[in-house]
């Protein structure tokens, strides 16, 4: 058997790895040779994993990490370009991929558990979008972030949605219009990420951050995360009306009763997650 045939028959490594660390699920992008670009398959794998985790009470937090020097270089341009030969020049496929990726990003936001990005290196275009879509983010000091689509004639319109909901307008526009990368420290300064840590420690730091949240009431975290994103899209008056309803509902929860009682009695709370 030729070496080429042997390679063709060799089992392919999974493009998404899943590991359990206590109550935290670590999802690791595993296309290092392609800089973890978000292929059709990887988008589907991520979305499927998030759907499985959603109702798993054993999972109290998620970390999205990456193998190799890059977090994610965005969409797989080779995969997209290959469809230029379609009868419609790829229009239907491009729409399918963009909508599938947008649905996956929304699944991150809609997951009733905290999601933390662990960023080892570059996060560009849809890779930057994935970081922005996570609730929290920890990055290596060597990581960089960019929305460079403008450099290849493809404005980062879908990454713009998540980016503009994370950082001030002027900073978002500068990233989108120039395509220039920013450092991890700059990303922290504008609010795109939470923490900058020494290279090689970002995965452990992200897990530790997720574990801090995992110690809280899962019911309260679920309620609070949903309310955070919903109120952000409302007017000030609507947001306060909605938040008051959420606070009232939260006060009726067993965990709020327990937590307040534990605070007043100066003891640790015992969560029932309801």
């Amino acid at each position: 058997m030729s070496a080429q045939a042997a390679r063709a028959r060799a089992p392919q490594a999974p493009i998404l790895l899943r590991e359990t660390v206590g109550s935290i699920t670590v999802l690791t992008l595993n296309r290092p040779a392609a800089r973890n670009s978000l292929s059709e398959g990887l988008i589907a794998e991520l979305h499927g994993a998030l759907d499985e985790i959603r109702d798993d009470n054993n999972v109290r937090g998620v970390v999205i990490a990456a193998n190799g020097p890059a977090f994610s270089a965005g969409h797989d341009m080779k995969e997209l370009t290959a469809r230029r030969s379609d009868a419609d020049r790829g229009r239907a496929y491009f729409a399918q991929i963009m909508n599938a990726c947008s649905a996956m990003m929304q699944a991150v936001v809609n997951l009733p558990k905290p999601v933390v990005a662990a960023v080892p290196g570059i996060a560009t275009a849809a890779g930057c979008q994935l970081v922005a879509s996570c609730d929290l983010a920890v990055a290596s000091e060597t990581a960089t972030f960019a929305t460079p689509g403008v450099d290849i004639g493809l404005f980062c319109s879908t990454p713009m949605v998540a980016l503009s909901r994370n950082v001030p307008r002027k900073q978002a526009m500068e990233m989108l219009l120039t395509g220039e990368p920013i450092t991890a420290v700059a990303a922290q300064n504008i609010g795109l990420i939470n923490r900058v840590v020494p290279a090689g420690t970002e995965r452990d730091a992200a897990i530790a951050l997720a574990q801090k949240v995992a110690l809280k009431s899962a019911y309260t975290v679920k309620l609070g995360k949903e309310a955070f994103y919903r109120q952000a899209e409302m007017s000030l008056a609507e947001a306060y009306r909605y938040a008051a309803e959420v606070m009232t509902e939260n006060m009726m929860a067993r965990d709020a009763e327990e937590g307040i009682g534990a605070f007043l009695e100066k003891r640790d709370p015992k969560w029932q997650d309801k």
Side-chain angles (χ1 to χ4, degrees), residues 130-274:
L130 182 55
V131 175
S133 296
C134 291
D135 305 305
L136 303 169
V138 176
S140 158
E141 60 193 359
T142 60
T144 57
F145 303 82
T147 47
V150 69
D151 294 333
I152 59 171
L154 183 66
F155 197 84
C156 284
S157 297
T158 44
M160 170 185 70
V161 175
L163 183 67
S164 64
R165 282 163 168 75
N166 274 248
V167 308
R169 186 171 297 185
K170 291 291 193 296
Q171 281 73 22
M173 283 298 286
E174 183 173 349
M175 290 181 68
L176 291 161
L177 291 172
T178 68
E180 292 180 353
I182 63 172
T183 65
V185 170
Q188 183 182 33
N189 288 340
I190 64 174
L192 180 57
I193 64 173
N194 298 87
R195 300 179 184 178
V196 180
V197 297
T201 68
E202 63 282 342
R203 182 181 181 277
D204 288 343
I207 292 172
L209 184 54
Q211 287 172 332
K212 281 188 177 182
V213 183
L215 294 175
K216 317 302 181 186
S217 157
Y219 172 82
T220 303
V221 169
K222 174 184 176 180
L223 198 71
K225 176 175 173 175
E226 180 183 8
F228 178 87
Y229 290 112
R230 285 190 63 184
Q231 65 81 28
E233 304 302 320
M234 298 176 180
S235 69
L236 184 64
E238 290 172 332
Y240 269 118
R241 279 194 296 269
Y242 168 64
E245 292 172 4
V246 174
M247 284 287 285
T248 301
E249 180 183 348
N250 200 167
M251 279 294 293
M252 299 305 296
R254 293 293 186 188
D255 278 356
E257 185 176 2
E258 164 64 12
I260 294 168
F263 171 76
L264 294 174
E265 295 165 16
K266 296 181 172 55
R267 59 176 175 82
D268 292 332
K270 297 179 180 179
W271 305 126
Q272 298 180 45
D273 295 327
K274 60 184 181 179

Side-chain angles (χ1 to χ4, degrees), residues 2 6 38 91 96 110 124 129 172 188 190 227 231 239 257 264 269:
S2 69
L38 298 177
R91 175 181 286 274
Q96 173 193 328
N110 293 330
T124 59
Q129 179 186 4
Q188 183 182 33
I190 64 174
Q231 65 81 28
E257 185 176 2
L264 294 174

Side-chain angles (χ1 to χ4, degrees), residues 2 7 24-25 30 42 81 85 101 122 135 157 166 184 195 213 224:
S2 69
R7 283 194 298 271
I24 307 302
T25 291
N30 193 38
L42 184 51
T81 299
S85 59
C101 189
I122 63 164
D135 305 305
S157 297
N166 274 248
R195 300 179 184 178
V213 183

Side-chain angles (χ1 to χ4, degrees), residues 61-78:
V62 176
V63 168
I64 298 180
N67 276 339
F71 179 72
S72 175
H75 285 291
D76 189 326
M77 290 302 164
K78 290 183 179 179

